[in-house]
């Protein structure tokens, strides 16, 4: 399931390092810059329209169907004769790639309560591997063979994973007893009725905002005279982010033993510490140390917050995941927009203050959640 998560989520990021190669094939089309946006929009639609289905039908069947749909979308992308068709195929790829968000709550439902944190951490480790290495793989394949070949390579990965999931996963029938329209309407009810879900979502949104603020401005910061580095150097920081792969399982096991709120508090402290280092240690080594702490902090908190929300309503895990992940990505968008404004106003120092402020918000929310227990 961890490998399947990585294979699924990787499809969202393949197009990002291939944009230059794609633009050479479709010279003169301004719409090509919207390919990553179309993929992300597809992912957002999938979160709202597809992930809730996990509470309504056999999850094994749903996961297999989404991987097959992903394969069809990849064929359309590989064969796309025009930018418009490639944009449409990218939208479908993003929607089908939300299969990763079907797998995580399914894994949580299969685990016993005392092992749920470790299970979520393991599966999230696979998801993080997919995010981390997708850009590296796509950049290499597109440079050596071409961008269409990357989509053709992704096709057997998707269909092969569908076959493996069909053979290995148990059947998992829903408990909700809802129709599709009622399930979508219930998202608002779950938000109102579950204060713990609201707290976890807002807290993780604040941490993901701090995370996104760093990655949004990093390339601009590295171009400053004190570094004189380009986009390729910024990309190498993603390799440093591999620590998140190890943080997720460790955080899950610690959450099982000591409780998730402690891990979330530690994650918030690490996120704050990373931004203090970014602001005060103005050297490349400071960025490296800071990004390690930032990745550990945000990923540890993510796994622990998922541990909390999946324990609330077993019959609504997929819908809760929809709410939680949507809130987290909204936080990321706010973090990116705010960081861009801070950069224009006061440079890296202002961005560091902004990131630290977001981490402090998360700490305050964590203290409030612990007192409310």
């Amino acid at each position: 399931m961890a490998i399947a998560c990585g294979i699924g989520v990787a499809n969202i990021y393949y197009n990002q390092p291939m944009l230059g190669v794609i633009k050479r094939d479709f010279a003169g089309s301004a719409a090509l810059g919207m390919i990553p946006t179309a993929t992300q929009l597809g992912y957002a639609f999938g979160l709202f329209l597809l992930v809730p289905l996990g509470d309504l039908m056999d999850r094994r069947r749903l996961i297999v169907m989404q991987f097959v749909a992903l394969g069809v979308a990849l064929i359309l992308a590989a064969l796309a004769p025009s930018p418009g068709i490639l944009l449409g195929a990218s939208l479908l790829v993003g929607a089908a790639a939300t299969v990763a968000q079907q797998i995580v709550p399914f894994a949580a439902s299969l685990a016993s309560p005392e092992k749920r944190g470790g299970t979520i951490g393991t599966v999230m480790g696979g998801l993080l591997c997919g995010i981390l290495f997708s850009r590296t793989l796509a950049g290499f394949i597109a440079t050596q063979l071409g961008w269409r070949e990357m989509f053709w390579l992704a096709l057997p990965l998707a269909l092969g994973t569908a076959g493996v999931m069909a053979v290995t996963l148990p059947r998992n029938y829903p408990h909700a007893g809802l129709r599709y329209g009622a399930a979508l309407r219930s998202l608002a009810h779950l938000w109102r009725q579950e204060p713990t879900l609201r707290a976890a979502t807002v807290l993780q949104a604040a941490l993901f905002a701090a995370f996104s603020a760093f990655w949004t401005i990093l390339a601009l910061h590295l171009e400053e005279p004190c570094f004189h580095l380009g986009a390729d150097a910024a990309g190498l920081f993603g390799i440093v982010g591999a620590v998140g792969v190890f943080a997720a399982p460790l955080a899950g096991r610690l959450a099982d033993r000591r409780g998730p709120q402690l891990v979330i508090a530690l994650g918030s402290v690490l996120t704050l510490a990373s931004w203090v280092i970014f602001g005060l240690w103005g050297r490349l080594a400071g960025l490296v140390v800071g990004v390690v702490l930032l990745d550990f902090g945000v990923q540890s908190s993510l796994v622990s917050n998922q541990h909390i929300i999946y324990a609330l309503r077993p019959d609504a895990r997929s819908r809760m995941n929809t709410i939680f992940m949507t809130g987290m990505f909204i936080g990321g968008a706010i973090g990116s927009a705010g960081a861009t404004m801070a950069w224009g106003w006061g440079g890296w120092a202002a961005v560091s203050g902004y990131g630290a402020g977001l981490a402090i918000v998360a700490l305050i929310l964590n203290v409030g959640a612990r007192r409310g227990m």
Side-chain angles (χ1 to χ4, degrees), residues 29-357:
S29 175
L32 290 173
M34 295 297 294
I35 290 174
T37 302
T39 309
Q40 295 291 339
L41 283 174
Y43 194 78
F45 288 137
L47 280 175
F48 266 107
L49 301 177
L50 298 180
V51 173
L53 288 170
D55 291 332
L56 308 181
M57 61 183 290
D58 175 22
R59 281 196 176 106
R60 183 181 75 176
R61 180 185 176 197
L62 179 59
I63 288 168
V64 171
M65 289 171 61
Q66 276 200 239
F67 270 117
V68 172
L70 178 58
V72 173
L74 289 167
I75 292 174
L76 290 175
L79 295 175
S82 67
I85 293 177
L86 184 55
L87 280 170
S90 298
L91 189 77
L92 295 176
V93 166
T98 55
V99 65
Q101 298 302 331
Q102 304 286 7
I103 295 172
V104 179
F106 189 9
S109 71
L110 295 176
S112 58
E114 67 274 9
K115 294 182 179 180
R116 185 168 293 133
T119 299
I120 295 170
T122 298
V123 174
M124 288 300 295
L127 186 145
L128 294 170
C129 280
I131 294 173
L132 176 64
F133 295 114
S134 58
R135 296 181 181 92
T136 304
L137 175 63
F140 176 80
I141 295 296
T143 301
Q144 301 300 320
L145 301 174
W147 64 270
R148 295 182 190 272
E149 282 70 18
M150 183 60 243
F151 289 124
W152 286 123
L153 175 61
L155 173 61
L157 290 175
L159 296 182
T161 305
V164 171
M165 295 291 97
V167 172
T168 58
L169 291 182
R171 289 195 175 276
N172 186 267
Y173 292 100
H175 306 286
L178 294 174
R179 292 186 179 276
Y180 180 62
L184 293 181
R185 290 192 295 271
S186 71
L187 294 173
H189 297 298
L190 287 170
W191 177 259
R192 291 195 298 266
Q193 294 170 359
E194 296 291 346
T196 302
L197 173 63
R198 293 198 301 270
T201 301
V202 174
L203 192 154
Q204 192 62 42
L207 289 175
F208 196 61
F211 182 84
S212 298
F214 173 79
W215 290 105
T216 299
I217 302 300
L218 175 62
L220 297 174
H221 183 44
L222 290 176
E223 289 174 354
E224 290 191 292
C226 57
F227 295 116
H228 279 303
L229 296 173
D232 53 344
L236 291 176
F237 273 82
I239 305 299
V240 180
V243 296
V245 175
F246 303 103
L250 290 173
R253 288 194 288 271
L254 182 59
D256 286 333
R257 291 196 299 267
R258 301 294 299 274
Q261 289 293 351
L262 173 63
V263 181
I264 295 168
L266 291 174
S268 301
V269 170
L270 287 175
T271 302
L272 176 59
S274 72
W275 278 106
V276 172
I277 290 172
F278 290 147
L280 299 180
W281 191 355
R283 296 184 178 273
L284 194 62
L287 290 176
V288 171
V289 172
V291 77
V292 169
L293 294 179
L294 179 67
D295 206 58
F296 250 100
V298 174
Q299 301 304 338
S300 297
S301 297
L302 172 58
V303 170
S304 299
N305 273 315
Q306 287 176 310
H307 184 290
I308 289 172
I309 66 169
Y310 291 149
L312 295 175
R313 294 272 296 272
D315 63 325
R317 284 191 175 118
S318 291
R319 284 169 288 155
M320 288 195 169
N321 196 41
T322 290
I323 294 169
F324 177 76
M325 296 304 297
T326 300
M328 191 181 87
F329 278 103
I330 290 173
I334 293 172
S336 294
T340 302
M341 294 173 61
W343 175 260
W345 178 69
W348 185 248
V351 175
S352 298
Y354 175 65

Side-chain angles (χ1 to χ4, degrees), residues 351-368:
V351 175
S352 298
Y354 175 65
L358 291 168
I360 290 171
V361 169
L363 270 172
I364 293 171
L365 291 170
N366 178 259
V367 171

